[in-house]
Amino acid sequence: MPLISLVRHGQASFGAEDYDVLSALGREQAQAVGRELGRRGLREPHLVTGTLNRQRDTARLLAETAGFKGTPQEDPRWNEYDHVAVLARYTAPDPEAQADSRAVQGLLDEALEKWITDPDADGSAGWAAFANGTSAALAELSAALGQGRDAVVVTSGGVLAALCGALLSLPAAGVVALNRVTVNAAVTTLVVGGSGTSLLTFNDHAHFTGDRRRLLTYR
């Protein structure tokens, strides 16, 4: 059965002028997960990435390190939601909190749950549009894989939370909890079978243990 490895991008540049750039640590993380995926012996992996710079650069470094061939397919449905817009809509401005990644995470937890449960958030700006887009991208990828081929998708924490929340039928609070603990460059594995696509593992980051523990980040 085909396996789909969903990889969260490496650490971005929190606090920098351009957030959508891998940090030096993020590049190391991308190479580390590339070594891990190369070790797993995936079958002719089909590589897919969102269109954000941090996703594309993670995919490139991952593929180079793992020895994967071919050009990654880009699909914007694997992009992260606009966390800046979500924060602006559902939380009060707090300039001091914006400089503290932990404080920002707390605000984002609050805003994300409000967004998911907001009955007035419809159209392209609503949670349903975002979550349905991620599910459609996964369904198309699952259908396209043959029995002898696996896939690697480089995406973001919000996409992972939305997909795993849907696969596990979780309420909004469960989706927020998944989003909160996604590790940079961790691997979530799905299996494509006759009854559909199922979750095997979530947020596997064993490649950041032992002497590589310094590479473990959540933001």
Side-chain angles (χ1 to χ4, degrees):
M1 292 185 289
L3 296 177
I4 299 176
S5 299
L6 303 176
V7 179
R8 187 188 178 198
H9 61 77
Q11 184 188 61
S13 298
F14 179 82
E17 184 175 348
D18 185 358
Y19 172 78
D20 192 21
V21 175
L22 289 181
S23 67
L25 185 62
R27 291 191 290 274
E28 285 191 72
Q29 292 168 335
Q31 293 169 327
V33 74
R35 285 190 291 272
E36 171 60 21
L37 292 174
R39 183 192 67 79
R40 294 187 183 190
L42 301 177
R43 300 165 299 174
E44 299 182 52
H46 176 48
L47 187 59
V48 182
T49 178
T51 63
L52 301 176
N53 289 331
R54 59 190 183 273
Q55 297 170 337
R56 292 189 295 188
D57 288 344
T58 297
R60 175 180 56 80
L61 290 167
L62 178 161
E64 289 174 355
T65 306
F68 295 157
K69 306 300 181 184
T71 302
Q73 174 189 338
E74 294 187 6
D75 184 340
R77 293 176 298 181
W78 294 104
N79 288 357
E80 183 64 290
Y81 57 84
D82 186 344
H83 73 282
V84 174
V86 171
L87 283 168
R89 181 170 183 175
Y90 295 103
T91 62
D94 186 349
E96 292 186 6
Q98 299 306 311
D100 183 339
S101 64
R102 291 183 181 274
V104 169
Q105 185 62 57
L107 292 173
L108 186 59
D109 287 352
E110 174 188 344
L112 184 56
E113 185 162 1
K114 289 180 179 177
W115 182 39
I116 294 172
T117 58
D118 184 357
D120 298 322
D122 53 14
S124 61
W127 169 260
F130 172 75
N132 290 340
T134 65
S135 293
L138 176 61
E140 288 180 21
L141 177 61
S142 299
L145 291 176
Q147 287 301 309
R149 193 173 192 192
D150 299 318
V152 175
V153 181
V154 179
T155 184
S156 295
V159 175
L160 293 168
L163 288 175
C164 293
L167 290 170
L168 298 174
S169 300
L170 296 180
V175 174
V176 173
L178 292 180
N179 186 73
R180 184 187 310 121
V181 298
T182 52
V183 169
N184 290 119
V187 182
T188 291
T189 304
L190 311 179
V191 61
V192 182
S195 59
T197 302
S198 302
L199 177 64
L200 279 183
T201 65
F202 170 72
N203 207 33
D204 178 7
H205 54 281
H207 45 292
F208 297 144
T209 56
D211 60 1
R212 297 183 299 278
R213 186 175 178 81
R214 67 178 184 82
L215 297 176
L216 177 64
T217 63
Y218 297 87
R219 306 170 187 85

